[in-house]
Amino acid sequence: MSGKVLVLAGKTLDKVMPAIRSGRIRAKSTGLTSLDPGNCACTASDVRSISLAPLATIVDVTDSNPLHVAVSASELRRDLRGFEFSLFPREFPAGTLWALSPQVLVPSFSRYYVDKARMLDFEEAVLLGMELCGHYAHDVPGNGGSRCEFLVEPALTYDELLEYLDSANGMRGIKAARTAARWVAENSYSPQESILALEQYLMPMRGGRGYPKPQLNPTVSVPPDMRDLVARESFKPDIYWEGLLDLEYDGGYHVDPAQVERDKARAADILALGIPVIQATRQSLSTCADAERLGLQVGKLLESGLGAPMTRKLRRLDDPDLRRARESLHIKLKRIVNPRDFSARDASRRREFDPWDPC
């Protein structure tokens, strides 16, 4: 690498990474595994020599809205108008840095996850991982209060995330990232689907039910000897415990009459294959009592397939402390995904009308 480079960091990435994911700007892997402090742009003359054209439509740099950049030595941090400096490691795993141009670098989504995880609560970090490994994207990653786009390609796969975390020993934030990433499930199609799945398989002490971890939206082939029973060669369940249960989440678009008919036909086909189907809606998640009832339904159907281990697990979940943990988790996840529902401005109205009162 020749010449000075700007390494984007901090809040600037919350604007740049979604633009990369959507394809509005292009990023290319650099293969770098080290960043020489001498190559880091940190002075006014360094910065003026670097074209910010790749960011022209993404970031508006002003004194009140500085560009966040990183340097690989603490002594290079400067008090420079329009810029805010943070520290980046000198040595790092391959795949850590991408290039928007020869002189403007950004971290990969895996590295971005490490940086974000150390600043987030555990539950927020898990949901961020599910978003990056899923088919939806907020304008600000992980921020449920920002606009959400659906049916997008994942930023990375779960295996890619784990592989990077395994190689990032000693990196600041790595412990929090590894702790949260363990509970990420890939291939979710919406924040509500992520909540619904996570509440089933997260460990009980964290507020989940500790059920086996399901697959999200896998493509399941119909066995050849059963294709005379159904109208398709494969199906795509929402939240799937292989051969045991399909938990379907019907979001807003499912009210379309044509979609309703497709959902009914798919559910009938899955039932014909001998797999129970539970239909969950937004109402299934609206109160702690509704969520608890749904979780019990899921547990009972899994028990019929898994037997004694699930029976013992369900019995342990009756513990009052674990029930309170589930209520706390449910409220927290809903707040993360729908923060506007819990704004201070609406606090008094919520006390009167809040559908969570049964909790």
Side-chain angles (χ1 to χ4, degrees), residues 1-6 30 32 50-51 54 99-105:
M1 182 173 60
S2 60
K4 301 285 186 176
V5 296
L6 274 181
T30 64
L32 293 173
I50 295 175
S51 171
L100 302 185
S101 73
Q103 291 184 290
V104 181
L105 307 180

Side-chain angles (χ1 to χ4, degrees), residues 139-314:
D139 280 352
V140 178
N143 184 341
S146 63
R147 186 183 67 89
C148 190
E149 183 179 357
F150 301 94
L151 301 178
V152 299
E153 287 301 306
L156 70 167
T157 68
Y158 183 55
D159 287 344
E160 287 170 345
L161 177 59
L162 291 188
E163 182 179 358
Y164 182 81
L165 297 182
D166 285 345
S167 66
N169 292 325
M171 188 174 287
R172 189 181 180 197
I174 191 62
K175 183 177 180 180
R178 286 172 174 168
T179 299
R182 175 187 172 193
W183 300 99
V184 168
E186 66 181 342
N187 220 29
S188 175
Y189 273 75
S190 73
Q192 297 288 351
E193 192 173 278
S194 294
I195 285 179
L196 183 56
L198 186 59
E199 289 188 340
Q200 311 313 315
Y201 69 82
L202 190 64
M203 62 180 172
M205 294 304 294
R206 290 275 192 183
R209 295 181 175 87
Y211 298 163
K213 189 175 184 180
Q215 297 172 280
L216 272 58
N217 300 287
T219 298
V220 180
S221 297
V222 176
D225 61 346
M226 302 186 75
R227 287 183 184 167
D228 57 336
L229 297 176
V230 299
R232 65 198 74 210
E233 295 184 354
S234 65
F235 61 95
K236 230 178 154 162
D238 288 349
I239 302 171
Y240 184 59
W241 288 268
E242 187 172 0
L244 298 173
L245 176 63
D246 171 22
L247 176 57
E248 292 287 315
Y249 177 68
D250 295 343
Y253 84 101
H254 290 267
V255 299
D256 175 73
Q259 184 62 45
V260 169
E261 291 304 313
R262 287 193 291 270
D263 290 343
K264 287 180 179 178
R266 182 174 64 162
D269 282 350
I270 296 171
L271 284 167
L273 298 174
I275 300 169
V277 177
I278 294 179
Q279 298 281 0
T281 64
R282 294 182 74 89
Q283 179 61 37
S284 306
L285 296 173
S286 64
T287 71
C288 294
D290 289 330
E292 186 71 11
R293 187 179 304 110
L294 176 65
L296 183 59
Q297 293 170 1
V298 171
K300 286 298 184 182
L301 285 172
L302 291 177
E303 181 185 23
S304 66
L306 298 175
M310 272 301 298
T311 301
R312 291 191 293 270
K313 188 181 295 291
L314 291 173

Side-chain angles (χ1 to χ4, degrees), residues 81-141:
R81 289 184 62 182
F83 289 82
E84 187 168 309
F85 289 87
S86 59
L87 195 61
F88 199 85
R90 295 191 188 193
E91 307 285 337
F92 40 79
T96 293
L97 281 179
W98 294 349
L100 302 185
S101 73
Q103 291 184 290
V104 181
L105 307 180
V106 295
S108 65
F109 280 101
S110 295
R111 165 68 196 193
Y112 176 69
Y113 182 72
V114 175
D115 284 342
K116 295 285 284 187
R118 68 184 177 85
M119 298 181 288
L120 298 174
D121 291 343
F122 166 79
E123 296 85 359
E124 292 174 316
V126 175
L127 288 177
L128 174 62
M130 294 181 78
E131 177 179 333
L132 295 177
C133 295
H135 292 271
Y136 60 95
H138 287 96
D139 280 352
V140 178

